Amino acid sequence: MKLDILVLAAHPDDAELGCAGTILKHAAMGYKVGVIDLTRGELGTRGSAEIRDKEAAAAAEILGLTVRVNLSLPDGFFENSREHQLPIISAIRQYRPEIVITNAYHDRHPDHGRANKIVEEACFLSGLRKITTEIDGAGQTEWRPKQVLHFIQDRYIHPDIVIDVTEFWEKKIESIYAYGSQFHNPEWEDEPQTYISTPEFIHVIEARAREFGKSIGVKFAEGFTSLNILGVNSLFDLKP
């Protein structure tokens, strides 16, 4: 199965928080979009890995994903090593995306910056034919995505590009709240309160999107960074 866009994120709910509007927008345009969660988020204070699995599946339905899978790397302890690179390389070769989106360069949660680094390198290594990987016993062909973008998370990073997601904002919020164990939910009052489970946290997400939206004259936008210089075909493609 070939995807147009593949989001490779550290935890279930990272994709929803970081780029759900962009996922929804491109799915609505007919592009095939998938999400691969590197870990099951088993170290999270609230809920469990099994609950997060169900929540991720519910969010995938809301987002209209073509595919969502989990690599089950160790939450909090995955490393930029050959052992943990190879499953990511195999996934890139399996789905052959044109564009990969991953976590922020650096962030409050150390897994996010580590995921950024391991995915960025895996996208390059996936194009080296002498690195061998298999799926279902068959060898895989090398593949390198054309573009790797990083969404912006808790810590502010100046974006290289912002995308208008106003039309899809309410659906993005719905996908976030599919994770009832993680975000504000009166039914989980007996669980410990965390930074992201407070009612105020979603206001932070909205404020960031409004700030990025204001920069291009729309209500809500999502920001992305890139290690590469981004180009356009015409000056008229630029939005003030």
Side-chain angles (χ1 to χ4, degrees), residues 130-168:
K130 290 185 178 179
I131 295 177
T132 59
T133 56
E134 294 184 353
I135 183 168
D136 297 329
Q140 293 179 292
T141 305
E142 66 274 10
W143 179 265
R144 185 172 293 150
K146 291 184 173 66
Q147 186 64 254
V148 182
L149 298 174
H150 324 105
F151 47 75
I152 296 166
Q153 300 184 260
D154 187 70
R155 292 179 179 167
Y156 180 84
I157 301 173
H158 187 77
D160 295 315
I161 185 173
V162 293
I163 297 177
D164 178 8
V165 297
T166 305
E167 182 182 351
F168 302 95

PDB file of all heavy atoms in Angstrom, residues 130-168:
ATOM      1  N   LYS A 130      21.725  -1.033   0.379  1.00  0.00           N
ATOM      2  CA  LYS A 130      22.518  -2.055   1.066  1.00  0.00           C
ATOM      3  C   LYS A 130      22.058  -2.291   2.502  1.00  0.00           C
ATOM      4  O   LYS A 130      22.578  -3.173   3.179  1.00  0.00           O
ATOM      5  CB  LYS A 130      23.998  -1.696   1.011  1.00  0.00           C
ATOM      6  CG  LYS A 130      24.573  -1.823  -0.402  1.00  0.00           C
ATOM      7  CD  LYS A 130      26.072  -1.577  -0.433  1.00  0.00           C
ATOM      8  CE  LYS A 130      26.613  -1.756  -1.850  1.00  0.00           C
ATOM      9  NZ  LYS A 130      28.071  -1.494  -1.911  1.00  0.00           N
ATOM     10  N   ILE A 131      21.094  -1.504   2.955  1.00  0.00           N
ATOM     11  CA  ILE A 131      20.442  -1.811   4.228  1.00  0.00           C
ATOM     12  C   ILE A 131      19.267  -2.721   3.895  1.00  0.00           C
ATOM     13  O   ILE A 131      18.342  -2.327   3.178  1.00  0.00           O
ATOM     14  CB  ILE A 131      19.941  -0.532   4.936  1.00  0.00           C
ATOM     15  CG1 ILE A 131      21.131   0.341   5.332  1.00  0.00           C
ATOM     16  CG2 ILE A 131      19.109  -0.884   6.167  1.00  0.00           C
ATOM     17  CD1 ILE A 131      20.738   1.664   5.970  1.00  0.00           C
ATOM     18  N   THR A 132      19.291  -3.935   4.389  1.00  0.00           N
ATOM     19  CA  THR A 132      18.279  -4.922   4.021  1.00  0.00           C
ATOM     20  C   THR A 132      17.200  -5.016   5.095  1.00  0.00           C
ATOM     21  O   THR A 132      17.483  -5.038   6.291  1.00  0.00           O
ATOM     22  CB  THR A 132      18.898  -6.306   3.807  1.00  0.00           C
ATOM     23  OG1 THR A 132      19.553  -6.725   5.001  1.00  0.00           O
ATOM     24  CG2 THR A 132      19.907  -6.268   2.658  1.00  0.00           C
ATOM     25  N   THR A 133      15.958  -5.034   4.636  1.00  0.00           N
ATOM     26  CA  THR A 133      14.798  -5.233   5.510  1.00  0.00           C
ATOM     27  C   THR A 133      13.833  -6.179   4.815  1.00  0.00           C
ATOM     28  O   THR A 133      13.870  -6.341   3.592  1.00  0.00           O
ATOM     29  CB  THR A 133      14.075  -3.909   5.819  1.00  0.00           C
ATOM     30  OG1 THR A 133      13.700  -3.276   4.575  1.00  0.00           O
ATOM     31  CG2 THR A 133      14.959  -2.964   6.620  1.00  0.00           C
ATOM     32  N   GLU A 134      12.980  -6.807   5.610  1.00  0.00           N
ATOM     33  CA  GLU A 134      11.998  -7.753   5.072  1.00  0.00           C
ATOM     34  C   GLU A 134      10.622  -7.461   5.639  1.00  0.00           C
ATOM     35  O   GLU A 134      10.482  -6.894   6.726  1.00  0.00           O
ATOM     36  CB  GLU A 134      12.374  -9.194   5.435  1.00  0.00           C
ATOM     37  CG  GLU A 134      13.637  -9.706   4.802  1.00  0.00           C
ATOM     38  CD  GLU A 134      13.886 -11.168   5.141  1.00  0.00           C
ATOM     39  OE1 GLU A 134      13.130 -11.718   5.987  1.00  0.00           O
ATOM     40  OE2 GLU A 134      14.822 -11.762   4.577  1.00  0.00           O
ATOM     41  N   ILE A 135       9.606  -7.875   4.876  1.00  0.00           N
ATOM     42  CA  ILE A 135       8.237  -7.877   5.382  1.00  0.00           C
ATOM     43  C   ILE A 135       7.581  -9.163   4.900  1.00  0.00           C
ATOM     44  O   ILE A 135       7.637  -9.489   3.705  1.00  0.00           O
ATOM     45  CB  ILE A 135       7.451  -6.626   4.931  1.00  0.00           C
ATOM     46  CG1 ILE A 135       6.063  -6.627   5.545  1.00  0.00           C
ATOM     47  CG2 ILE A 135       7.387  -6.496   3.422  1.00  0.00           C
ATOM     48  CD1 ILE A 135       5.316  -5.320   5.414  1.00  0.00           C
ATOM     49  N   ASP A 136       7.027  -9.906   5.817  1.00  0.00           N
ATOM     50  CA  ASP A 136       6.418 -11.207   5.502  1.00  0.00           C
ATOM     51  C   ASP A 136       7.382 -12.120   4.749  1.00  0.00           C
ATOM     52  O   ASP A 136       7.000 -12.852   3.831  1.00  0.00           O
ATOM     53  CB  ASP A 136       5.127 -11.020   4.686  1.00  0.00           C
ATOM     54  CG  ASP A 136       4.064 -10.254   5.456  1.00  0.00           C
ATOM     55  OD1 ASP A 136       4.034 -10.376   6.701  1.00  0.00           O
ATOM     56  OD2 ASP A 136       3.280  -9.528   4.821  1.00  0.00           O
ATOM     57  N   GLY A 137       8.666 -12.048   5.120  1.00  0.00           N
ATOM     58  CA  GLY A 137       9.665 -12.923   4.528  1.00  0.00           C
ATOM     59  C   GLY A 137      10.215 -12.480   3.194  1.00  0.00           C
ATOM     60  O   GLY A 137      11.112 -13.133   2.648  1.00  0.00           O
ATOM     61  N   ALA A 138       9.705 -11.375   2.653  1.00  0.00           N
ATOM     62  CA  ALA A 138      10.168 -10.881   1.355  1.00  0.00           C
ATOM     63  C   ALA A 138      11.019  -9.628   1.550  1.00  0.00           C
ATOM     64  O   ALA A 138      10.705  -8.773   2.385  1.00  0.00           O
ATOM     65  CB  ALA A 138       8.985 -10.565   0.448  1.00  0.00           C
ATOM     66  N   GLY A 139      12.105  -9.532   0.782  1.00  0.00           N
ATOM     67  CA  GLY A 139      12.973  -8.369   0.853  1.00  0.00           C
ATOM     68  C   GLY A 139      12.261  -7.115   0.366  1.00  0.00           C
ATOM     69  O   GLY A 139      11.400  -7.173  -0.517  1.00  0.00           O
ATOM     70  N   GLN A 140      12.619  -5.978   0.942  1.00  0.00           N
ATOM     71  CA  GLN A 140      11.996  -4.704   0.573  1.00  0.00           C
ATOM     72  C   GLN A 140      12.944  -3.868  -0.288  1.00  0.00           C
ATOM     73  O   GLN A 140      14.167  -3.948  -0.152  1.00  0.00           O
ATOM     74  CB  GLN A 140      11.624  -3.906   1.824  1.00  0.00           C
ATOM     75  CG  GLN A 140      10.509  -4.541   2.650  1.00  0.00           C
ATOM     76  CD  GLN A 140      10.202  -3.726   3.892  1.00  0.00           C
ATOM     77  OE1 GLN A 140      11.024  -3.639   4.795  1.00  0.00           O
ATOM     78  NE2 GLN A 140       9.027  -3.124   3.926  1.00  0.00           N
ATOM     79  N   THR A 141      12.347  -3.047  -1.147  1.00  0.00           N
ATOM     80  CA  THR A 141      13.110  -2.147  -2.006  1.00  0.00           C
ATOM     81  C   THR A 141      13.327  -0.823  -1.295  1.00  0.00           C
ATOM     82  O   THR A 141      12.457  -0.350  -0.567  1.00  0.00           O
ATOM     83  CB  THR A 141      12.352  -1.902  -3.330  1.00  0.00           C
ATOM     84  OG1 THR A 141      12.072  -3.157  -3.939  1.00  0.00           O
ATOM     85  CG2 THR A 141      13.168  -1.042  -4.283  1.00  0.00           C
ATOM     86  N   GLU A 142      14.472  -0.220  -1.525  1.00  0.00           N
ATOM     87  CA  GLU A 142      14.772   1.048  -0.878  1.00  0.00           C
ATOM     88  C   GLU A 142      13.753   2.128  -1.284  1.00  0.00           C
ATOM     89  O   GLU A 142      13.185   2.095  -2.371  1.00  0.00           O
ATOM     90  CB  GLU A 142      16.197   1.508  -1.214  1.00  0.00           C
ATOM     91  CG  GLU A 142      16.440   1.872  -2.675  1.00  0.00           C
ATOM     92  CD  GLU A 142      16.811   0.687  -3.555  1.00  0.00           C
ATOM     93  OE1 GLU A 142      16.709  -0.481  -3.094  1.00  0.00           O
ATOM     94  OE2 GLU A 142      17.188   0.927  -4.725  1.00  0.00           O
ATOM     95  N   TRP A 143      13.552   3.103  -0.388  1.00  0.00           N
ATOM     96  CA  TRP A 143      12.632   4.214  -0.659  1.00  0.00           C
ATOM     97  C   TRP A 143      13.019   5.400   0.211  1.00  0.00           C
ATOM     98  O   TRP A 143      13.277   5.232   1.400  1.00  0.00           O
ATOM     99  CB  TRP A 143      11.191   3.823  -0.361  1.00  0.00           C
ATOM    100  CG  TRP A 143      10.217   4.950  -0.604  1.00  0.00           C
ATOM    101  CD1 TRP A 143       9.730   5.846   0.307  1.00  0.00           C
ATOM    102  CD2 TRP A 143       9.640   5.308  -1.863  1.00  0.00           C
ATOM    103  NE1 TRP A 143       8.877   6.733  -0.296  1.00  0.00           N
ATOM    104  CE2 TRP A 143       8.807   6.429  -1.636  1.00  0.00           C
ATOM    105  CE3 TRP A 143       9.750   4.791  -3.145  1.00  0.00           C
ATOM    106  CZ2 TRP A 143       8.081   7.031  -2.657  1.00  0.00           C
ATOM    107  CZ3 TRP A 143       9.034   5.395  -4.165  1.00  0.00           C
ATOM    108  CH2 TRP A 143       8.200   6.501  -3.921  1.00  0.00           C
ATOM    109  N   ARG A 144      13.071   6.573  -0.374  1.00  0.00           N
ATOM    110  CA  ARG A 144      13.364   7.785   0.396  1.00  0.00           C
ATOM    111  C   ARG A 144      12.270   8.819   0.136  1.00  0.00           C
ATOM    112  O   ARG A 144      12.044   9.204  -1.023  1.00  0.00           O
ATOM    113  CB  ARG A 144      14.729   8.353   0.019  1.00  0.00           C
ATOM    114  CG  ARG A 144      15.149   9.563   0.866  1.00  0.00           C
ATOM    115  CD  ARG A 144      16.591   9.943   0.565  1.00  0.00           C
ATOM    116  NE  ARG A 144      17.509   8.898   1.016  1.00  0.00           N
ATOM    117  CZ  ARG A 144      18.684   8.640   0.442  1.00  0.00           C
ATOM    118  NH1 ARG A 144      19.078   9.336  -0.590  1.00  0.00           N
ATOM    119  NH2 ARG A 144      19.456   7.673   0.907  1.00  0.00           N
ATOM    120  N   PRO A 145      11.579   9.270   1.168  1.00  0.00           N
ATOM    121  CA  PRO A 145      10.547  10.302   0.975  1.00  0.00           C
ATOM    122  C   PRO A 145      11.139  11.582   0.396  1.00  0.00           C
ATOM    123  O   PRO A 145      12.311  11.913   0.627  1.00  0.00           O
ATOM    124  CB  PRO A 145      10.029  10.547   2.400  1.00  0.00           C
ATOM    125  CG  PRO A 145      10.413   9.326   3.166  1.00  0.00           C
ATOM    126  CD  PRO A 145      11.690   8.831   2.566  1.00  0.00           C
ATOM    127  N   LYS A 146      10.307  12.307  -0.345  1.00  0.00           N
ATOM    128  CA  LYS A 146      10.771  13.552  -0.959  1.00  0.00           C
ATOM    129  C   LYS A 146      10.922  14.680   0.058  1.00  0.00           C
ATOM    130  O   LYS A 146      11.714  15.605  -0.140  1.00  0.00           O
ATOM    131  CB  LYS A 146       9.797  13.985  -2.062  1.00  0.00           C
ATOM    132  CG  LYS A 146       9.796  13.091  -3.293  1.00  0.00           C
ATOM    133  CD  LYS A 146       8.871  13.652  -4.364  1.00  0.00           C
ATOM    134  CE  LYS A 146       8.990  12.845  -5.669  1.00  0.00           C
ATOM    135  NZ  LYS A 146       8.508  11.477  -5.505  1.00  0.00           N
ATOM    136  N   GLN A 147      10.124  14.620   1.127  1.00  0.00           N
ATOM    137  CA  GLN A 147      10.122  15.715   2.098  1.00  0.00           C
ATOM    138  C   GLN A 147       9.872  15.185   3.500  1.00  0.00           C
ATOM    139  O   GLN A 147       9.045  14.285   3.682  1.00  0.00           O
ATOM    140  CB  GLN A 147       9.037  16.736   1.739  1.00  0.00           C
ATOM    141  CG  GLN A 147       9.017  17.980   2.589  1.00  0.00           C
ATOM    142  CD  GLN A 147      10.287  18.810   2.446  1.00  0.00           C
ATOM    143  OE1 GLN A 147      11.122  18.826   3.357  1.00  0.00           O
ATOM    144  NE2 GLN A 147      10.451  19.458   1.315  1.00  0.00           N
ATOM    145  N   VAL A 148      10.577  15.721   4.481  1.00  0.00           N
ATOM    146  CA  VAL A 148      10.331  15.413   5.884  1.00  0.00           C
ATOM    147  C   VAL A 148      10.006  16.720   6.608  1.00  0.00           C
ATOM    148  O   VAL A 148      10.804  17.663   6.577  1.00  0.00           O
ATOM    149  CB  VAL A 148      11.541  14.737   6.557  1.00  0.00           C
ATOM    150  CG1 VAL A 148      11.204  14.390   8.008  1.00  0.00           C
ATOM    151  CG2 VAL A 148      11.964  13.479   5.794  1.00  0.00           C
ATOM    152  N   LEU A 149       8.839  16.770   7.226  1.00  0.00           N
ATOM    153  CA  LEU A 149       8.405  17.943   7.983  1.00  0.00           C
ATOM    154  C   LEU A 149       8.239  17.561   9.447  1.00  0.00           C
ATOM    155  O   LEU A 149       8.027  16.396   9.774  1.00  0.00           O
ATOM    156  CB  LEU A 149       7.084  18.479   7.443  1.00  0.00           C
ATOM    157  CG  LEU A 149       7.074  18.963   5.990  1.00  0.00           C
ATOM    158  CD1 LEU A 149       5.649  19.321   5.565  1.00  0.00           C
ATOM    159  CD2 LEU A 149       7.998  20.162   5.804  1.00  0.00           C
ATOM    160  N   HIS A 150       8.320  18.567  10.319  1.00  0.00           N
ATOM    161  CA  HIS A 150       8.186  18.332  11.751  1.00  0.00           C
ATOM    162  C   HIS A 150       7.092  19.248  12.294  1.00  0.00           C
ATOM    163  O   HIS A 150       7.130  20.466  12.062  1.00  0.00           O
ATOM    164  CB  HIS A 150       9.490  18.626  12.478  1.00  0.00           C
ATOM    165  CG  HIS A 150      10.713  18.257  11.684  1.00  0.00           C
ATOM    166  ND1 HIS A 150      11.507  19.194  11.062  1.00  0.00           N
ATOM    167  CD2 HIS A 150      11.244  17.046  11.386  1.00  0.00           C
ATOM    168  CE1 HIS A 150      12.498  18.586  10.436  1.00  0.00           C
ATOM    169  NE2 HIS A 150      12.365  17.279  10.614  1.00  0.00           N
ATOM    170  N   PHE A 151       6.118  18.687  13.000  1.00  0.00           N
ATOM    171  CA  PHE A 151       5.117  19.566  13.594  1.00  0.00           C
ATOM    172  C   PHE A 151       5.681  20.213  14.849  1.00  0.00           C
ATOM    173  O   PHE A 151       6.767  19.854  15.326  1.00  0.00           O
ATOM    174  CB  PHE A 151       3.784  18.853  13.847  1.00  0.00           C
ATOM    175  CG  PHE A 151       3.844  17.505  14.510  1.00  0.00           C
ATOM    176  CD1 PHE A 151       4.105  17.386  15.857  1.00  0.00           C
ATOM    177  CD2 PHE A 151       3.589  16.344  13.776  1.00  0.00           C
ATOM    178  CE1 PHE A 151       4.125  16.139  16.473  1.00  0.00           C
ATOM    179  CE2 PHE A 151       3.614  15.094  14.381  1.00  0.00           C
ATOM    180  CZ  PHE A 151       3.881  14.995  15.732  1.00  0.00           C
ATOM    181  N   ILE A 152       4.971  21.203  15.361  1.00  0.00           N
ATOM    182  CA  ILE A 152       5.418  21.980  16.510  1.00  0.00           C
ATOM    183  C   ILE A 152       4.547  21.611  17.694  1.00  0.00           C
ATOM    184  O   ILE A 152       3.327  21.573  17.586  1.00  0.00           O
ATOM    185  CB  ILE A 152       5.357  23.480  16.190  1.00  0.00           C
ATOM    186  CG1 ILE A 152       6.342  23.787  15.048  1.00  0.00           C
ATOM    187  CG2 ILE A 152       5.674  24.327  17.427  1.00  0.00           C
ATOM    188  CD1 ILE A 152       6.159  25.133  14.414  1.00  0.00           C
ATOM    189  N   GLN A 153       5.174  21.326  18.838  1.00  0.00           N
ATOM    190  CA  GLN A 153       4.434  20.782  19.971  1.00  0.00           C
ATOM    191  C   GLN A 153       4.384  21.762  21.132  1.00  0.00           C
ATOM    192  O   GLN A 153       4.030  22.926  20.936  1.00  0.00           O
ATOM    193  CB  GLN A 153       5.015  19.416  20.336  1.00  0.00           C
ATOM    194  CG  GLN A 153       4.909  18.437  19.157  1.00  0.00           C
ATOM    195  CD  GLN A 153       5.372  17.034  19.463  1.00  0.00           C
ATOM    196  OE1 GLN A 153       6.489  16.669  19.125  1.00  0.00           O
ATOM    197  NE2 GLN A 153       4.518  16.239  20.101  1.00  0.00           N
ATOM    198  N   ASP A 154       4.720  21.358  22.321  1.00  0.00           N
ATOM    199  CA  ASP A 154       4.517  22.211  23.480  1.00  0.00           C
ATOM    200  C   ASP A 154       5.402  23.461  23.445  1.00  0.00           C
ATOM    201  O   ASP A 154       4.929  24.566  23.673  1.00  0.00           O
ATOM    202  CB  ASP A 154       4.787  21.411  24.753  1.00  0.00           C
ATOM    203  CG  ASP A 154       4.429  22.175  26.008  1.00  0.00           C
ATOM    204  OD1 ASP A 154       3.226  22.373  26.242  1.00  0.00           O
ATOM    205  OD2 ASP A 154       5.342  22.590  26.738  1.00  0.00           O
ATOM    206  N   ARG A 155       6.678  23.295  23.162  1.00  0.00           N
ATOM    207  CA  ARG A 155       7.585  24.434  23.108  1.00  0.00           C
ATOM    208  C   ARG A 155       7.467  25.159  21.773  1.00  0.00           C
ATOM    209  O   ARG A 155       7.413  24.522  20.728  1.00  0.00           O
ATOM    210  CB  ARG A 155       9.020  23.978  23.351  1.00  0.00           C
ATOM    211  CG  ARG A 155       9.243  23.481  24.773  1.00  0.00           C
ATOM    212  CD  ARG A 155      10.653  23.008  25.007  1.00  0.00           C
ATOM    213  NE  ARG A 155      10.838  22.566  26.387  1.00  0.00           N
ATOM    214  CZ  ARG A 155      11.880  21.888  26.820  1.00  0.00           C
ATOM    215  NH1 ARG A 155      12.848  21.559  25.983  1.00  0.00           N
ATOM    216  NH2 ARG A 155      11.966  21.536  28.094  1.00  0.00           N
ATOM    217  N   TYR A 156       7.453  26.472  21.834  1.00  0.00           N
ATOM    218  CA  TYR A 156       7.312  27.256  20.604  1.00  0.00           C
ATOM    219  C   TYR A 156       8.568  27.144  19.744  1.00  0.00           C
ATOM    220  O   TYR A 156       9.692  27.323  20.220  1.00  0.00           O
ATOM    221  CB  TYR A 156       7.043  28.732  20.914  1.00  0.00           C
ATOM    222  CG  TYR A 156       6.895  29.547  19.653  1.00  0.00           C
ATOM    223  CD1 TYR A 156       5.668  29.600  18.997  1.00  0.00           C
ATOM    224  CD2 TYR A 156       7.983  30.206  19.096  1.00  0.00           C
ATOM    225  CE1 TYR A 156       5.533  30.317  17.819  1.00  0.00           C
ATOM    226  CE2 TYR A 156       7.852  30.918  17.916  1.00  0.00           C
ATOM    227  CZ  TYR A 156       6.618  30.975  17.287  1.00  0.00           C
ATOM    228  OH  TYR A 156       6.478  31.677  16.109  1.00  0.00           O
ATOM    229  N   ILE A 157       8.357  26.838  18.474  1.00  0.00           N
ATOM    230  CA  ILE A 157       9.410  26.851  17.465  1.00  0.00           C
ATOM    231  C   ILE A 157       8.863  27.638  16.287  1.00  0.00           C
ATOM    232  O   ILE A 157       7.721  27.414  15.860  1.00  0.00           O
ATOM    233  CB  ILE A 157       9.798  25.428  17.020  1.00  0.00           C
ATOM    234  CG1 ILE A 157      10.292  24.600  18.216  1.00  0.00           C
ATOM    235  CG2 ILE A 157      10.868  25.476  15.931  1.00  0.00           C
ATOM    236  CD1 ILE A 157      10.545  23.134  17.885  1.00  0.00           C
ATOM    237  N   HIS A 158       9.652  28.559  15.763  1.00  0.00           N
ATOM    238  CA  HIS A 158       9.172  29.370  14.633  1.00  0.00           C
ATOM    239  C   HIS A 158       8.973  28.467  13.414  1.00  0.00           C
ATOM    240  O   HIS A 158       9.912  27.773  13.003  1.00  0.00           O
ATOM    241  CB  HIS A 158      10.170  30.470  14.310  1.00  0.00           C
ATOM    242  CG  HIS A 158       9.661  31.441  13.287  1.00  0.00           C
ATOM    243  ND1 HIS A 158       8.753  32.429  13.589  1.00  0.00           N
ATOM    244  CD2 HIS A 158       9.912  31.546  11.963  1.00  0.00           C
ATOM    245  CE1 HIS A 158       8.477  33.114  12.506  1.00  0.00           C
ATOM    246  NE2 HIS A 158       9.165  32.592  11.498  1.00  0.00           N
ATOM    247  N   PRO A 159       7.781  28.452  12.827  1.00  0.00           N
ATOM    248  CA  PRO A 159       7.531  27.538  11.706  1.00  0.00           C
ATOM    249  C   PRO A 159       8.169  28.016  10.404  1.00  0.00           C
ATOM    250  O   PRO A 159       8.338  29.209  10.184  1.00  0.00           O
ATOM    251  CB  PRO A 159       5.994  27.551  11.591  1.00  0.00           C
ATOM    252  CG  PRO A 159       5.600  28.907  12.100  1.00  0.00           C
ATOM    253  CD  PRO A 159       6.582  29.226  13.199  1.00  0.00           C
ATOM    254  N   ASP A 160       8.503  27.059   9.548  1.00  0.00           N
ATOM    255  CA  ASP A 160       8.948  27.365   8.195  1.00  0.00           C
ATOM    256  C   ASP A 160       7.769  27.464   7.236  1.00  0.00           C
ATOM    257  O   ASP A 160       7.872  28.087   6.180  1.00  0.00           O
ATOM    258  CB  ASP A 160       9.919  26.274   7.699  1.00  0.00           C
ATOM    259  CG  ASP A 160      11.204  26.245   8.506  1.00  0.00           C
ATOM    260  OD1 ASP A 160      11.763  27.327   8.762  1.00  0.00           O
ATOM    261  OD2 ASP A 160      11.634  25.142   8.890  1.00  0.00           O
ATOM    262  N   ILE A 161       6.672  26.817   7.614  1.00  0.00           N
ATOM    263  CA  ILE A 161       5.469  26.835   6.784  1.00  0.00           C
ATOM    264  C   ILE A 161       4.261  26.649   7.690  1.00  0.00           C
ATOM    265  O   ILE A 161       4.348  25.956   8.713  1.00  0.00           O
ATOM    266  CB  ILE A 161       5.516  25.708   5.708  1.00  0.00           C
ATOM    267  CG1 ILE A 161       4.316  25.809   4.760  1.00  0.00           C
ATOM    268  CG2 ILE A 161       5.613  24.329   6.346  1.00  0.00           C
ATOM    269  CD1 ILE A 161       4.414  24.841   3.585  1.00  0.00           C
ATOM    270  N   VAL A 162       3.155  27.306   7.368  1.00  0.00           N
ATOM    271  CA  VAL A 162       1.909  27.101   8.115  1.00  0.00           C
ATOM    272  C   VAL A 162       0.799  26.743   7.128  1.00  0.00           C
ATOM    273  O   VAL A 162       0.797  27.201   5.984  1.00  0.00           O
ATOM    274  CB  VAL A 162       1.509  28.325   8.962  1.00  0.00           C
ATOM    275  CG1 VAL A 162       2.487  28.547  10.080  1.00  0.00           C
ATOM    276  CG2 VAL A 162       1.386  29.571   8.117  1.00  0.00           C
ATOM    277  N   ILE A 163      -0.122  25.910   7.586  1.00  0.00           N
ATOM    278  CA  ILE A 163      -1.195  25.410   6.727  1.00  0.00           C
ATOM    279  C   ILE A 163      -2.539  25.772   7.344  1.00  0.00           C
ATOM    280  O   ILE A 163      -2.786  25.505   8.524  1.00  0.00           O
ATOM    281  CB  ILE A 163      -1.077  23.883   6.545  1.00  0.00           C
ATOM    282  CG1 ILE A 163       0.244  23.548   5.842  1.00  0.00           C
ATOM    283  CG2 ILE A 163      -2.267  23.331   5.761  1.00  0.00           C
ATOM    284  CD1 ILE A 163       0.496  22.066   5.676  1.00  0.00           C
ATOM    285  N   ASP A 164      -3.398  26.361   6.558  1.00  0.00           N
ATOM    286  CA  ASP A 164      -4.744  26.740   6.995  1.00  0.00           C
ATOM    287  C   ASP A 164      -5.562  25.474   7.264  1.00  0.00           C
ATOM    288  O   ASP A 164      -5.787  24.664   6.368  1.00  0.00           O
ATOM    289  CB  ASP A 164      -5.415  27.574   5.899  1.00  0.00           C
ATOM    290  CG  ASP A 164      -6.848  27.986   6.240  1.00  0.00           C
ATOM    291  OD1 ASP A 164      -7.287  27.765   7.388  1.00  0.00           O
ATOM    292  OD2 ASP A 164      -7.520  28.524   5.343  1.00  0.00           O
ATOM    293  N   VAL A 165      -6.007  25.312   8.506  1.00  0.00           N
ATOM    294  CA  VAL A 165      -6.814  24.137   8.867  1.00  0.00           C
ATOM    295  C   VAL A 165      -8.152  24.555   9.473  1.00  0.00           C
ATOM    296  O   VAL A 165      -8.805  23.772  10.154  1.00  0.00           O
ATOM    297  CB  VAL A 165      -6.053  23.204   9.847  1.00  0.00           C
ATOM    298  CG1 VAL A 165      -4.790  22.642   9.200  1.00  0.00           C
ATOM    299  CG2 VAL A 165      -5.717  23.921  11.150  1.00  0.00           C
ATOM    300  N   THR A 166      -8.569  25.790   9.203  1.00  0.00           N
ATOM    301  CA  THR A 166      -9.786  26.336   9.803  1.00  0.00           C
ATOM    302  C   THR A 166     -10.988  25.433   9.574  1.00  0.00           C
ATOM    303  O   THR A 166     -11.761  25.159  10.510  1.00  0.00           O
ATOM    304  CB  THR A 166     -10.072  27.733   9.229  1.00  0.00           C
ATOM    305  OG1 THR A 166      -8.918  28.568   9.433  1.00  0.00           O
ATOM    306  CG2 THR A 166     -11.285  28.349   9.908  1.00  0.00           C
ATOM    307  N   GLU A 167     -11.152  24.968   8.361  1.00  0.00           N
ATOM    308  CA  GLU A 167     -12.312  24.149   8.007  1.00  0.00           C
ATOM    309  C   GLU A 167     -12.356  22.844   8.798  1.00  0.00           C
ATOM    310  O   GLU A 167     -13.433  22.260   8.996  1.00  0.00           O
ATOM    311  CB  GLU A 167     -12.282  23.848   6.504  1.00  0.00           C
ATOM    312  CG  GLU A 167     -13.451  23.043   5.979  1.00  0.00           C
ATOM    313  CD  GLU A 167     -13.344  22.740   4.496  1.00  0.00           C
ATOM    314  OE1 GLU A 167     -12.439  23.303   3.829  1.00  0.00           O
ATOM    315  OE2 GLU A 167     -14.164  21.932   3.998  1.00  0.00           O
ATOM    316  N   PHE A 168     -11.210  22.399   9.283  1.00  0.00           N
ATOM    317  CA  PHE A 168     -11.116  21.081   9.924  1.00  0.00           C
ATOM    318  C   PHE A 168     -10.836  21.174  11.426  1.00  0.00           C
ATOM    319  O   PHE A 168     -10.544  20.154  12.052  1.00  0.00           O
ATOM    320  CB  PHE A 168     -10.027  20.257   9.227  1.00  0.00           C
ATOM    321  CG  PHE A 168     -10.278  20.085   7.756  1.00  0.00           C
ATOM    322  CD1 PHE A 168      -9.694  20.952   6.838  1.00  0.00           C
ATOM    323  CD2 PHE A 168     -11.130  19.103   7.294  1.00  0.00           C
ATOM    324  CE1 PHE A 168      -9.947  20.830   5.479  1.00  0.00           C
ATOM    325  CE2 PHE A 168     -11.393  18.963   5.940  1.00  0.00           C
ATOM    326  CZ  PHE A 168     -10.806  19.824   5.030  1.00  0.00           C
TER     327      PHE A 168
END
